[in-house]
PDB file of all heavy atoms in Angstrom:
ATOM      1  N   GLY K 148     -21.489  19.492   7.165  1.00 97.00           N
ATOM      2  CA  GLY K 148     -21.466  20.648   7.829  1.00 97.00           C
ATOM      3  C   GLY K 148     -21.552  21.848   6.904  1.00 97.00           C
ATOM      4  O   GLY K 148     -21.547  21.786   5.687  1.00 97.00           O
ATOM      5  N   GLN K 149     -21.591  23.037   7.560  1.00 97.00           N
ATOM      6  CA  GLN K 149     -21.539  24.302   6.732  1.00 97.00           C
ATOM      7  C   GLN K 149     -20.506  25.283   7.516  1.00 97.00           C
ATOM      8  O   GLN K 149     -20.538  25.275   8.694  1.00 97.00           O
ATOM      9  CB  GLN K 149     -22.820  24.995   6.760  1.00 97.00           C
ATOM     10  CG  GLN K 149     -23.741  24.744   5.527  1.00 97.00           C
ATOM     11  CD  GLN K 149     -24.856  25.787   5.379  1.00 97.00           C
ATOM     12  OE1 GLN K 149     -25.336  26.344   6.223  1.00 97.00           O
ATOM     13  NE2 GLN K 149     -25.292  26.093   4.133  1.00 97.00           N
ATOM     14  N   ALA K 150     -19.611  25.867   6.650  1.00 98.00           N
ATOM     15  CA  ALA K 150     -18.657  26.784   7.410  1.00 98.00           C
ATOM     16  C   ALA K 150     -19.077  28.294   7.210  1.00 98.00           C
ATOM     17  O   ALA K 150     -19.646  28.615   6.261  1.00 98.00           O
ATOM     18  CB  ALA K 150     -17.402  26.576   6.603  1.00 98.00           C
ATOM     19  N   ASP K 151     -18.759  28.967   8.224  1.00 98.00           N
ATOM     20  CA  ASP K 151     -18.840  30.423   8.158  1.00 98.00           C
ATOM     21  C   ASP K 151     -17.641  31.066   7.469  1.00 98.00           C
ATOM     22  O   ASP K 151     -17.731  32.200   7.051  1.00 98.00           O
ATOM     23  CB  ASP K 151     -18.989  31.076   9.609  1.00 98.00           C
ATOM     24  CG  ASP K 151     -20.179  30.523  10.325  1.00 98.00           C
ATOM     25  OD1 ASP K 151     -21.295  30.674   9.911  1.00 98.00           O
ATOM     26  OD2 ASP K 151     -19.879  29.693  11.365  1.00 98.00           O
ATOM     27  N   ALA K 152     -16.481  30.429   7.540  1.00 98.00           N
ATOM     28  CA  ALA K 152     -15.370  31.021   6.748  1.00 98.00           C
ATOM     29  C   ALA K 152     -14.471  29.742   6.288  1.00 98.00           C
ATOM     30  O   ALA K 152     -14.364  28.637   6.980  1.00 98.00           O
ATOM     31  CB  ALA K 152     -14.472  31.824   7.805  1.00 98.00           C
ATOM     32  N   TRP K 153     -13.976  29.938   5.104  1.00 98.00           N
ATOM     33  CA  TRP K 153     -13.049  28.900   4.528  1.00 98.00           C
ATOM     34  C   TRP K 153     -11.628  29.417   4.363  1.00 98.00           C
ATOM     35  O   TRP K 153     -11.526  30.546   4.022  1.00 98.00           O
ATOM     36  CB  TRP K 153     -13.571  28.454   3.189  1.00 98.00           C
ATOM     37  CG  TRP K 153     -14.798  27.547   3.046  1.00 98.00           C
ATOM     38  CD1 TRP K 153     -15.966  27.694   3.162  1.00 98.00           C
ATOM     39  CD2 TRP K 153     -14.463  26.024   3.067  1.00 98.00           C
ATOM     40  NE1 TRP K 153     -16.679  26.611   3.018  1.00 98.00           N
ATOM     41  CE2 TRP K 153     -15.900  25.570   3.046  1.00 98.00           C
ATOM     42  CE3 TRP K 153     -13.373  25.234   3.069  1.00 98.00           C
ATOM     43  CZ2 TRP K 153     -16.034  24.138   3.047  1.00 98.00           C
ATOM     44  CZ3 TRP K 153     -13.625  23.819   3.061  1.00 98.00           C
ATOM     45  CH2 TRP K 153     -14.962  23.319   2.981  1.00 98.00           C
ATOM     46  N   PHE K 154     -10.690  28.569   4.764  1.00 98.00           N
ATOM     47  CA  PHE K 154      -9.187  28.767   4.421  1.00 98.00           C
ATOM     48  C   PHE K 154      -8.959  27.849   3.424  1.00 98.00           C
ATOM     49  O   PHE K 154      -8.888  26.675   3.524  1.00 98.00           O
ATOM     50  CB  PHE K 154      -8.407  28.408   5.615  1.00 98.00           C
ATOM     51  CG  PHE K 154      -8.616  29.221   6.997  1.00 98.00           C
ATOM     52  CD1 PHE K 154      -8.007  28.850   8.046  1.00 98.00           C
ATOM     53  CD2 PHE K 154      -9.388  30.396   6.876  1.00 98.00           C
ATOM     54  CE1 PHE K 154      -8.165  29.613   9.250  1.00 98.00           C
ATOM     55  CE2 PHE K 154      -9.677  31.176   8.125  1.00 98.00           C
ATOM     56  CZ  PHE K 154      -8.966  30.622   9.238  1.00 98.00           C
ATOM     57  N   LEU K 155      -8.736  28.406   2.148  1.00 97.00           N
ATOM     58  CA  LEU K 155      -8.380  27.644   0.968  1.00 97.00           C
ATOM     59  C   LEU K 155      -6.872  27.771   0.868  1.00 97.00           C
ATOM     60  O   LEU K 155      -6.344  28.570   0.332  1.00 97.00           O
ATOM     61  CB  LEU K 155      -9.139  28.103  -0.332  1.00 97.00           C
ATOM     62  CG  LEU K 155     -10.611  28.285  -0.263  1.00 97.00           C
ATOM     63  CD1 LEU K 155     -11.228  28.874  -1.526  1.00 97.00           C
ATOM     64  CD2 LEU K 155     -11.168  26.922   0.123  1.00 97.00           C
ATOM     65  N   ASP K 156      -6.256  26.518   1.342  1.00 93.00           N
ATOM     66  CA  ASP K 156      -4.770  26.658   1.549  1.00 93.00           C
ATOM     67  C   ASP K 156      -4.106  25.308   1.016  1.00 93.00           C
ATOM     68  O   ASP K 156      -3.095  24.770   1.581  1.00 93.00           O
ATOM     69  CB  ASP K 156      -4.496  26.763   3.021  1.00 93.00           C
ATOM     70  CG  ASP K 156      -2.997  27.186   3.279  1.00 93.00           C
ATOM     71  OD1 ASP K 156      -2.397  27.761   2.279  1.00 93.00           O
ATOM     72  OD2 ASP K 156      -2.531  26.897   4.301  1.00 93.00           O
ATOM     73  N   GLY K 157      -4.563  24.889  -0.179  1.00 85.00           N
ATOM     74  CA  GLY K 157      -3.827  23.792  -0.861  1.00 85.00           C
ATOM     75  C   GLY K 157      -2.590  24.278  -1.390  1.00 85.00           C
ATOM     76  O   GLY K 157      -2.247  25.490  -1.511  1.00 85.00           O
ATOM     77  N   PHE K 158      -1.723  23.330  -1.845  1.00 80.00           N
ATOM     78  CA  PHE K 158      -0.428  23.847  -2.518  1.00 80.00           C
ATOM     79  C   PHE K 158      -0.680  24.698  -3.788  1.00 80.00           C
ATOM     80  O   PHE K 158      -1.937  24.669  -4.275  1.00 80.00           O
ATOM     81  CB  PHE K 158       0.404  22.611  -2.703  1.00 80.00           C
ATOM     82  CG  PHE K 158       1.003  21.983  -1.559  1.00 80.00           C
ATOM     83  CD1 PHE K 158       0.588  20.787  -1.180  1.00 80.00           C
ATOM     84  CD2 PHE K 158       1.900  22.604  -0.876  1.00 80.00           C
ATOM     85  CE1 PHE K 158       1.087  20.217   0.082  1.00 80.00           C
ATOM     86  CE2 PHE K 158       2.543  22.034   0.409  1.00 80.00           C
ATOM     87  CZ  PHE K 158       1.998  20.907   0.802  1.00 80.00           C
ATOM     88  N   SER K 159       0.199  25.252  -4.273  1.00 88.00           N
ATOM     89  CA  SER K 159       0.008  26.128  -5.552  1.00 88.00           C
ATOM     90  C   SER K 159      -0.850  25.393  -6.538  1.00 88.00           C
ATOM     91  O   SER K 159      -0.800  24.292  -6.875  1.00 88.00           O
ATOM     92  CB  SER K 159       1.273  26.427  -6.101  1.00 88.00           C
ATOM     93  OG  SER K 159       1.275  26.918  -7.416  1.00 88.00           O
ATOM     94  N   PRO K 160      -1.865  26.251  -7.035  1.00 89.00           N
ATOM     95  CA  PRO K 160      -2.642  25.723  -8.075  1.00 89.00           C
ATOM     96  C   PRO K 160      -2.044  25.082  -9.321  1.00 89.00           C
ATOM     97  O   PRO K 160      -2.381  24.308 -10.029  1.00 89.00           O
ATOM     98  CB  PRO K 160      -3.602  26.887  -8.512  1.00 89.00           C
ATOM     99  CG  PRO K 160      -3.586  27.841  -7.347  1.00 89.00           C
ATOM    100  CD  PRO K 160      -2.244  27.675  -6.659  1.00 89.00           C
ATOM    101  N   ALA K 161      -0.809  25.772  -9.664  1.00 89.00           N
ATOM    102  CA  ALA K 161       0.008  25.231 -10.846  1.00 89.00           C
ATOM    103  C   ALA K 161       0.589  23.752 -10.444  1.00 89.00           C
ATOM    104  O   ALA K 161       0.845  23.150 -11.328  1.00 89.00           O
ATOM    105  CB  ALA K 161       1.145  26.166 -11.015  1.00 89.00           C
ATOM    106  N   LYS K 162       0.765  23.460  -9.182  1.00 87.00           N
ATOM    107  CA  LYS K 162       1.302  22.219  -8.765  1.00 87.00           C
ATOM    108  C   LYS K 162       0.397  21.343  -8.323  1.00 87.00           C
ATOM    109  O   LYS K 162       0.615  20.094  -8.264  1.00 87.00           O
ATOM    110  CB  LYS K 162       2.444  22.445  -7.761  1.00 87.00           C
ATOM    111  CG  LYS K 162       3.628  23.405  -8.391  1.00 87.00           C
ATOM    112  CD  LYS K 162       4.623  23.725  -7.425  1.00 87.00           C
ATOM    113  CE  LYS K 162       5.745  24.569  -8.046  1.00 87.00           C
ATOM    114  NZ  LYS K 162       6.835  24.817  -7.139  1.00 87.00           N
ATOM    115  N   ASN K 163      -0.886  21.754  -7.782  1.00 87.00           N
ATOM    116  CA  ASN K 163      -1.798  20.828  -7.176  1.00 87.00           C
ATOM    117  C   ASN K 163      -3.224  21.414  -7.688  1.00 87.00           C
ATOM    118  O   ASN K 163      -4.083  21.607  -6.921  1.00 87.00           O
ATOM    119  CB  ASN K 163      -1.659  21.117  -5.583  1.00 87.00           C
ATOM    120  CG  ASN K 163      -2.590  20.277  -4.872  1.00 87.00           C
ATOM    121  OD1 ASN K 163      -3.016  20.590  -3.766  1.00 87.00           O
ATOM    122  ND2 ASN K 163      -3.087  19.101  -5.372  1.00 87.00           N
ATOM    123  N   PRO K 164      -3.365  21.193  -9.061  1.00 89.00           N
ATOM    124  CA  PRO K 164      -4.631  21.758  -9.675  1.00 89.00           C
ATOM    125  C   PRO K 164      -5.903  21.007  -9.177  1.00 89.00           C
ATOM    126  O   PRO K 164      -6.956  21.526  -9.019  1.00 89.00           O
ATOM    127  CB  PRO K 164      -4.547  21.774 -11.078  1.00 89.00           C
ATOM    128  CG  PRO K 164      -3.423  20.488 -11.242  1.00 89.00           C
ATOM    129  CD  PRO K 164      -2.638  20.729 -10.097  1.00 89.00           C
ATOM    130  N   GLU K 165      -5.701  19.874  -8.620  1.00 88.00           N
ATOM    131  CA  GLU K 165      -6.897  19.012  -8.126  1.00 88.00           C
ATOM    132  C   GLU K 165      -7.642  19.710  -7.037  1.00 88.00           C
ATOM    133  O   GLU K 165      -8.849  19.475  -6.926  1.00 88.00           O
ATOM    134  CB  GLU K 165      -6.474  17.617  -7.783  1.00 88.00           C
ATOM    135  CG  GLU K 165      -5.932  16.732  -8.924  1.00 88.00           C
ATOM    136  CD  GLU K 165      -4.522  17.080  -9.307  1.00 88.00           C
ATOM    137  OE1 GLU K 165      -3.775  17.764  -8.480  1.00 88.00           O
ATOM    138  OE2 GLU K 165      -3.976  16.438 -10.283  1.00 88.00           O
ATOM    139  N   LEU K 166      -6.895  20.464  -6.218  1.00 91.00           N
ATOM    140  CA  LEU K 166      -7.561  20.916  -4.972  1.00 91.00           C
ATOM    141  C   LEU K 166      -8.174  22.350  -5.298  1.00 91.00           C
ATOM    142  O   LEU K 166      -8.677  22.977  -4.384  1.00 91.00           O
ATOM    143  CB  LEU K 166      -6.534  21.125  -3.900  1.00 91.00           C
ATOM    144  CG  LEU K 166      -7.177  21.006  -2.494  1.00 91.00           C
ATOM    145  CD1 LEU K 166      -7.962  19.731  -2.243  1.00 91.00           C
ATOM    146  CD2 LEU K 166      -6.009  21.251  -1.448  1.00 91.00           C
ATOM    147  N   TRP K 167      -8.172  22.790  -6.665  1.00 94.00           N
ATOM    148  CA  TRP K 167      -8.734  24.090  -6.959  1.00 94.00           C
ATOM    149  C   TRP K 167      -9.782  23.959  -8.102  1.00 94.00           C
ATOM    150  O   TRP K 167     -10.102  25.071  -8.647  1.00 94.00           O
ATOM    151  CB  TRP K 167      -7.499  25.094  -7.308  1.00 94.00           C
ATOM    152  CG  TRP K 167      -6.496  25.193  -6.262  1.00 94.00           C
ATOM    153  CD1 TRP K 167      -5.417  24.440  -6.168  1.00 94.00           C
ATOM    154  CD2 TRP K 167      -6.573  26.071  -5.223  1.00 94.00           C
ATOM    155  NE1 TRP K 167      -4.688  24.842  -5.109  1.00 94.00           N
ATOM    156  CE2 TRP K 167      -5.390  25.833  -4.435  1.00 94.00           C
ATOM    157  CE3 TRP K 167      -7.389  27.090  -4.737  1.00 94.00           C
ATOM    158  CZ2 TRP K 167      -5.033  26.577  -3.383  1.00 94.00           C
ATOM    159  CZ3 TRP K 167      -7.109  27.807  -3.681  1.00 94.00           C
ATOM    160  CH2 TRP K 167      -5.854  27.546  -2.891  1.00 94.00           C
ATOM    161  N   GLY K 168     -10.222  22.868  -8.439  1.00 94.00           N
ATOM    162  CA  GLY K 168     -10.960  22.694  -9.659  1.00 94.00           C
ATOM    163  C   GLY K 168     -12.371  23.237  -9.436  1.00 94.00           C
ATOM    164  O   GLY K 168     -12.971  23.434  -8.347  1.00 94.00           O
ATOM    165  N   GLU K 169     -13.204  23.508 -10.538  1.00 95.00           N
ATOM    166  CA  GLU K 169     -14.608  23.954 -10.627  1.00 95.00           C
ATOM    167  C   GLU K 169     -15.394  23.114  -9.686  1.00 95.00           C
ATOM    168  O   GLU K 169     -16.178  23.767  -8.870  1.00 95.00           O
ATOM    169  CB  GLU K 169     -15.024  24.130 -12.036  1.00 95.00           C
ATOM    170  CG  GLU K 169     -16.375  24.814 -12.153  1.00 95.00           C
ATOM    171  CD  GLU K 169     -16.722  24.903 -13.560  1.00 95.00           C
ATOM    172  OE1 GLU K 169     -15.795  25.123 -14.386  1.00 95.00           O
ATOM    173  OE2 GLU K 169     -17.827  24.728 -13.822  1.00 95.00           O
TER     174      GLU K 169
END
Side-chain angles (χ1 to χ4, degrees):
Q149 267 200 331
D151 298 296
W153 277 93
F154 298 171
L155 303 180
D156 196 23
F158 290 111
S159 164
K162 299 176 179 180
N163 184 205
E165 294 82 4
L166 210 58
W167 303 95
E169 184 176 323

